[in-house]
Amino acid sequence: MQATAQAQPNIALIKYWGKRQTKLNLPAVGSLSITLDSLWTRTYVRFDSGLEKDEFHLNGQLDTIRCRRVSQCLDLMRRRANISYCAAVVSENNFPTEAGLASSASGFAALVLASSKALGLDLTDEELSEIARQSSGSAARSIFGGFVEMELGHCKDGSDAIAHPLIGPEEWPLHVVVVITSDRTKIIGSTEGMQRTSLSSPYYQAWIQNHVSDIEAAKHAIASRDFYALADISEHNCLKMHGLALSTRPALIYWNGATVECMNCVRDLRASGTAAFFTIDAGPQVKVVCAPSETQKVMDALRNVPGVLCVLNSCIGQGARLL
Ligand code: 2P0
């Protein structure tokens, strides 16, 4: 009754921000992402009749705070398997946790896959995606590799609010340069941020209404491998999400000074002919998508931006897998 799985975080090019239903964690908008390769979460799960409660270790430390959300995810799995054993979960991230690098996406995708195997459940990727979504909306996407679309879905039970792959990592092998501008844990998590936005931003309805055309534009750019069209819609959608966050009361300001300087640096690079664009999630880190031939130039330029702590490079990667 034990298994280990690995999943990678994903970077949304068309963002998920807002929920239409909180109980099943149903998104208010569809989204579109790329799964990374070199950042990962590895999670070991063991169900054990001798345990009196779930235990969660993250990066070698007992983590009773995050254990609550881990237990809620395990409850979904235990219900499916009709097994009530508690579990020991040992997880490791090779990148900062809860710092705007989608650790909940890789974390819950790895947890769902490892626990399904440990419980002997034979689930499809679609079923894994649906369960992962209930723990963290972005985790539904990390079940798959390459370019991934998360469906808004229409069913009340959430069975069609799942992700599916669009093209594999080898079909458009772009690179992602991850620029770390802070290693602090974020103060306002995405779940709370989204709730605040839906309650108080005057732009929320416009955000919901626009998302279909943004997804279609991104899918069209991907299908035709049109880098500059993807750059245009991705930066627009990212800045629109942050405009929404900024218009929330109290305001959600996920950027620091270096974040803004990185955006300017990427726009300057593109204006001078370098195939690169940025996107930013609920944190101050900047992700720069670029053509592989431009990676070194992009990394060198961003490393020199004041306030940048470090720069990582990743290819586009595969979905969650058992180890
Ligand atoms: C995204 N984010 O599409 C967007 C962009 C953050 C900014 O998905 O409440 O941590 O657990 O479903 O999955 C972060 O959302 O939120 C996220 P919950 P989650 O990547």
Side-chain angles (χ1 to χ4, degrees), residues 6-11 13 31-39 105-106 109-110 113 125-126 128-129 138-150 162-174 176 222 314-321:
Q6 171 173 324
Q8 289 81 239
N10 66 79
I11 304 298
L13 303 181
S31 55
L32 195 152
S33 62
I34 44 184
T35 303
L36 299 184
D37 177 54
S38 58
L39 278 59
S106 53
L113 181 57
D125 284 349
E126 288 71 23
L128 292 169
S129 180
S138 55
R141 301 187 306 235
S142 274
I143 296 295
F144 301 98
F147 288 73
V148 177
E149 180 181 5
M150 175 72 198
I162 57 174
H164 65 267
L166 294 171
I167 60 171
E170 68 293 336
E171 291 181 82
W172 198 7
L174 299 175
V176 183
I222 292 164
S314 178
C315 301
I316 299 181
Q318 305 286 345
R321 65 179 198 273

Side-chain angles (χ1 to χ4, degrees), residues 78-138:
R78 283 187 277 247
R79 219 171 293 146
R80 283 221 175 209
N82 207 13
I83 285 172
S84 58
Y85 294 176
C86 292
V89 179
V90 179
S91 198
E92 191 189 345
N93 290 333
N94 74 341
F95 61 99
T97 302
E98 286 178 19
L101 290 173
S103 55
S104 68
S106 53
F108 284 106
L111 179 64
V112 165
L113 181 57
S115 52
S116 71
K117 179 73 179 172
L119 288 168
L121 291 167
D122 190 17
L123 301 177
T124 63
D125 284 349
E126 288 71 23
E127 288 170 312
L128 292 169
S129 180
E130 188 196 342
I131 300 169
R133 184 210 69 235
Q134 294 181 57
S135 294
S136 181
S138 55

Side-chain angles (χ1 to χ4, degrees), residues 44-83:
Y44 163 83
V45 179
R46 188 183 84 250
F47 289 91
D48 188 333
S49 59
L51 287 172
E52 286 181 2
K53 55 184 173 54
D54 294 327
E55 285 171 9
F56 178 54
H57 283 82
L58 178 63
N59 295 334
Q61 306 265 329
L62 187 66
D63 191 333
T64 50
I65 307 273
R66 291 191 182 93
C67 191
R68 259 178 263 139
R69 223 171 138 190
V70 166
S71 283
Q72 284 167 2
C73 179
L74 293 171
D75 286 344
L76 299 173
M77 308 305 298
R78 283 187 277 247
R79 219 171 293 146
R80 283 221 175 209
N82 207 13
I83 285 172

